[in-house]
Every structure is written in C-alpha cells, then in structure tokens.
Amino acid sequence: MKNLAQMTDEELALCYMDGNNRAFDLLLSRNQSKLFSYILFVVRDQDKANDLFQETFVKIIVKLQSGKYAPTGKFGAWCMRITHNVIMDWYREQKAEHIVEPTEGNDLSNLSHDGLLDANIENQYTNDQVMSDVKKMMNHLPTTQREVVFMRFYQQMSFKEIAATTNVSINTALGRMRYALINMRRMAREHGVQLQID
C-alpha cells in the first residue's frame, strides 16, 4: 500500500472516510493555501476569511464523514465548490448586494502566481506596473466578473471548473469573462493605461 504522501487527494479523501485522520491533515495542507487565497480575495477581510476558511473545512469534514464525496479525480474542484457556497451563504446572511467591495490597493501579493510573469529584470518594473493597473481595474468590475477573472487567472481554473464552482453554465462563465475583458479594456482606454506585459 502507498504511503499517504504518495496518494492523490481522492485517495486521501477515501482514506479519511475510512477513519485515517492523518490523511485529512495531508489533504488540508495540500489545499488550504488555494482555498484561503480565494476566500480572502472575495471577502477582503483577514478575520472574516479565517472564519469562513474554518467553516469551509468543517463542511468538508462533515461531508466526507457522512460519505457525501464520490471520487471523480476532482477533489480540488469539489472543495472550491463548497468554499464558494460557504461564501455565498455568508453574504446572503449579511443581505449584501455585492460579494466583494472594492478596496484601495487591492493587494494580491499573498496569492500564488508563479509563472504569471516570466520577465527579465529590465522588464520587471513595467510588468509590476501593468499588474498593479490590472488589480485596480479588477476592483471596478462587477462582482461576478471579478470572481471569474480571479478563478481563471489566479487559480488557473478551467471554465468548466469555474462554471461548476459558481453553479452557472459554461456559456455564462465565458460571458462573464468576455464582459470583464471588455470592461477592463474600456477602463484602460479611458485612463490611457498600457496593458502589455513583455
């Protein structure tokens, strides 16, 4: 039998469902950064993000313990869907009209974006400025568009995964991305911002 570190997330989930608590510890360590980054990006509050992250993992535990997970090779997407639902439930409770309120200096530096920019040193300043401008423009996008841009570019999710996570059709997810890009291009034109990364 494989040791835990060699198992896929799906195999670990099944091990945990069979009573191996160490399997869940490994699942948590593999998935916590991605899920917490998503929550923090949406709610913009560290304390609230911590609360919602804890609630998310309690729901994941409960669903696993009650046998509500079927291994499909998509454990990460399953967790993202639960995370999305926890955030939506919280916002419904708050009776908020918007998922994300824009904040000054939308700092995404805590998110993993390795490989997003592969530039040499002389282009780094330009690339940093472009990413700063993009983050500022994202603050002005409607909630649903901002969410799909985040999932696509910062979480590297496919449109199929985005659609499943947000409970919409693939066409709706694609449409939201299309409108987000149109809106960001319009904002760039209006403010004379160049959005080219070398």
Side-chain angles (χ1 to χ4, degrees):
M1 182 175 162
K2 290 182 185 176
N3 76 30
L4 292 178
Q6 296 172 322
M7 292 184 178
T8 65
D9 284 357
E10 288 68 31
E11 291 170 327
L12 288 171
L14 292 174
C15 268
Y16 176 67
M17 290 165 71
D18 287 339
N20 187 333
N21 289 332
R22 286 183 54 240
F24 185 79
D25 294 341
L26 192 51
L27 274 177
L28 174 63
S29 70
R30 286 184 185 177
N31 291 280
Q32 64 186 2
S33 177
K34 179 179 179 180
L35 298 180
F36 183 79
S37 294
Y38 171 53
I39 295 168
L40 183 61
F41 179 80
V42 175
V43 302
R44 303 274 200 268
D45 178 277
Q46 185 87 24
D47 291 335
K48 182 44 62 184
N50 281 321
D51 291 346
L52 293 176
F53 177 75
Q54 296 301 324
E55 185 178 339
T56 297
F57 265 92
V58 166
K59 290 204 171 186
I60 289 170
I61 289 168
V62 168
K63 287 180 181 292
L64 287 171
Q65 287 179 344
S66 59
K68 292 184 179 174
Y69 173 71
T72 59
K74 304 277 185 184
F75 182 79
W78 182 75
C79 290
M80 282 294 286
R81 200 164 36 254
I82 292 171
T83 306
H84 174 79
N85 290 339
V86 166
I87 294 169
M88 294 300 106
D89 290 346
W90 180 76
Y91 275 108
R92 281 187 206 103
E93 289 171 13
Q94 302 300 309
K95 296 182 172 34
E97 291 183 8
H98 301 288
I99 294 173
V100 180
E101 291 299 323
T103 58
E104 285 190 19
N106 181 20
D107 182 14
L108 300 179
S109 61
N110 62 325
L111 302 179
S112 173
H113 57 278
D114 295 338
L116 186 62
L117 300 176
D118 184 11
N120 60 33
I121 293 171
E122 63 227 24
N123 292 329
Q124 192 63 48
Y125 175 78
T126 303
N127 292 342
D128 289 346
Q129 185 60 50
V130 167
M131 291 311 295
S132 173
D133 292 339
V134 167
K135 292 171 193 173
K136 288 175 188 169
M137 284 187 276
M138 282 175 68
N139 276 331
H140 298 288
L141 290 174
T143 299
T144 54
Q145 293 174 24
R146 185 169 42 242
E147 186 176 42
V148 76
V149 169
F150 174 79
M151 289 180 173
R152 184 74 179 128
F153 292 108
Y154 290 93
Q155 297 282 4
Q156 287 84 43
M157 293 172 69
S158 70
F159 283 104
K160 184 176 180 182
E161 291 169 329
I162 293 169
T165 299
T166 57
N167 297 316
V168 299
S169 70
I170 290 179
N171 286 340
T172 299
L174 288 166
R176 288 175 179 174
M177 177 60 81
R178 180 176 173 265
Y179 286 116
L181 294 175
I182 289 169
N183 285 332
M184 291 175 77
R185 284 187 191 119
R186 177 185 49 76
M187 285 185 257
R189 265 196 321 273
E190 289 172 0
H191 295 93
V193 175
Q194 295 294 322
L195 293 179
Q196 183 167 343
I197 296 178
D198 296 320

